[in-house]
Amino acid sequence: GIAQCDGAILRPKKVFSLRKYIMEIIHSLQELPHSVRWVFAIGFFDGIHKGHQRVIGAAAELAAKHQAQLGVITFYPHPLAVLEPVEQPPLLQSEEEKMECFRCMGIHLVIILKPTAFFLKQPPVEFLKSLESICCLKGLSAGENFTFGAGARGNPKLMKQYFSGKDVEIREVPLLRSPVLQGEPVSSTAIRMMIRQGEVDQASLLLGRLYSLQGIVAEGAGRGGAALGFPTANLSPQQNYVYPGDGVYAGWADIEHGHRYPAVINIGTNPTFRGSKRTVETHILGYRGNLYGTSIHIFFVKKIRGEICFSSMEALKSQIGTDIQTAENILDIHEGKMPKTR
């Protein structure tokens, strides 16, 4: 079965537990508790999109079948950050956000392995041997495009061959194809491209939840409140994460104590003020207070318009008023999908 978790993060229902439902995080296979049956989903899982959810769902089915605990084996940082740092893709989630998604999905334990150059250049059989060493391992699931070992020669078919006759069930999960991508497979790469193009509403259909960013509110130029009458919470863009393309978006903002407010989010360089630094500025509707130093979480619902260089402050203020009205209309439609509190 499938349930909802904080604004449409999908999770399989709890299938089996030997203790209270608390997710644990460890960093090596040697730390695994003994005398517990395990089934693991394996992958990098950036974004934990619907294709990834299918892989984890297959592991949940195996866990129910074998009366085992449900776990995930994942990796951090991205393997390309080790082998080809210049080629590493920007991420859809921080490590902390990924762990929160796993928790919401009902995962009992996450093993985060650090992919060193030595680890990545080992023959695939070495990784399979380390998996075989897991006490009471009953099953593994992976997407059909999952690879491991030197030259990416390891794959689920090799896993099936290796564990044949060893009482470990291997589930190779076919790629999920989506009409949003004209029948092409759902992938983190495709979702990154959509977000960069500002198609956050389409990306959310592939993620199974709204795309979001999280950070600490920093001091900005101070123009939003003082000059325009629309104060904003400013997040400094971080390297190695995907940011929506420049423009104005309707969305939600979660602030401390779990309160959720409608929001208008501007991403860009503020060309009207001849800015050069890219910023993320969020006008939180209905909120009054000082947010400096506070952690906020912003969710993107739909792009309203692209970034514009206005001829005057009055023209900009008028457009902001129109943007707020447009955002309110969009968010009224989505309000049932994204509750204001959690």
Side-chain angles (χ1 to χ4, degrees):
I2 295 293
Q4 298 289 325
C5 179
D6 193 298
I9 295 174
L10 300 180
R11 62 178 180 187
K13 289 181 180 177
K14 186 167 125 181
V15 293
F16 185 76
S17 180
L18 300 179
R19 55 185 181 271
K20 275 287 189 181
Y21 177 59
I22 299 173
M23 191 182 86
E24 298 179 37
I25 300 173
I26 60 177
H27 294 85
S28 74
L29 298 177
Q30 289 70 36
E31 297 177 54
L32 268 171
H34 295 291
S35 304
V36 177
R37 293 181 176 186
W38 290 107
V39 170
F40 290 100
I42 305 180
F44 187 73
F45 299 126
D46 184 31
I48 315 184
H49 57 61
K50 285 187 173 181
H52 297 149
Q53 293 169 27
R54 176 181 278 194
V55 174
I56 295 169
E61 292 174 4
L62 287 177
K65 177 180 177 180
H66 296 287
Q67 292 190 319
Q69 295 275 46
L70 175 61
V72 166
I73 297 174
T74 190
F75 309 90
Y76 197 85
H78 194 285
L80 281 178
V82 178
L83 296 178
E84 299 287 346
V86 177
E87 301 295 327
Q88 65 174 311
L91 299 179
L92 295 167
Q93 289 177 306
S94 67
E95 188 177 9
E96 293 76 14
E97 289 168 324
K98 185 190 291 188
M99 293 306 109
E100 178 60 16
C101 279
F102 285 146
R103 187 193 66 77
C104 284
M105 295 177 75
I107 305 301
H108 300 133
L109 179 141
V110 178
I111 305 174
I112 305 173
L113 300 178
K114 185 176 181 179
T116 63
F118 176 77
F119 172 83
L120 294 170
K121 293 177 180 179
Q122 280 186 320
V125 70
E126 295 302 319
F127 182 55
L128 294 174
K129 287 178 180 178
S130 65
L131 294 176
E132 186 183 13
S133 70
I134 296 175
C135 180
C136 302
L137 179 66
K138 305 305 294 182
L140 298 165
S141 74
E144 66 173 270
N145 61 344
F146 174 67
T147 60
F148 56 93
R153 294 192 298 270
N155 55 44
K157 289 181 174 55
L158 183 62
M159 292 170 65
K160 284 184 178 180
Q161 294 172 12
Y162 183 87
F163 283 102
S164 178
K166 295 182 180 179
D167 195 31
V168 177
E169 187 172 354
I170 306 299
R171 189 73 60 85
E172 179 181 2
V173 181
L175 296 176
L176 175 66
R177 297 179 181 273
S178 171
V180 176
L181 296 169
Q182 292 74 51
E184 292 297 310
V186 176
S187 68
S188 299
T189 300
I191 294 171
R192 291 184 193 110
M193 185 177 297
M194 279 184 166
I195 292 169
R196 284 168 157 173
Q197 293 173 345
E199 299 171 357
V200 292
D201 51 337
Q202 297 299 296
S204 71
L205 297 176
L206 304 180
L207 288 167
R209 65 184 182 280
L210 297 180
Y211 187 64
S212 65
L213 295 172
Q214 196 166 8
I216 304 296
V217 177
E219 289 195 32
R223 289 186 294 256
L228 298 172
F230 300 101
T232 58
N234 299 277
L235 298 183
S236 297
Q238 301 177 48
Q239 292 184 345
N240 300 327
Y241 292 99
V242 180
Y243 282 78
D246 291 355
V248 178
Y249 296 81
W252 303 97
D254 276 13
I255 62 174
E256 57 185 353
H257 310 306
H259 295 293
R260 178 164 292 172
Y261 294 84
V264 179
I265 306 152
N266 182 83
I267 298 181
T269 58
N270 291 301
T272 302
F273 297 99
R274 299 181 181 180
S276 58
K277 183 181 178 182
R278 197 161 185 245
T279 60
V280 180
E281 302 175 271
T282 303
H283 177 56
I284 303 173
L285 307 182
Y287 180 80
R288 298 292 180 269
N290 186 345
L291 287 174
Y292 290 139
T294 299
S295 175
I296 67 170
H297 201 168
I298 53 177
F299 298 82
F300 295 85
V301 173
K302 188 176 179 64
K303 188 174 183 177
I304 297 173
R305 63 171 175 84
E307 190 171 47
I308 300 171
C309 180
F310 292 91
S311 59
S312 68
M313 291 276 286
E314 289 305 314
L316 174 55
K317 288 171 68 174
S318 176
Q319 182 61 56
I320 293 174
T322 300
D323 293 340
I324 290 173
Q325 184 60 61
T326 303
E328 288 177 336
N329 292 338
I330 292 170
L331 297 174
D332 280 344
I333 297 172
H334 288 79
E335 190 167 10
K337 299 179 183 179
M338 290 292 293
K340 292 185 178 180
T341 58
R342 51 178 173 169

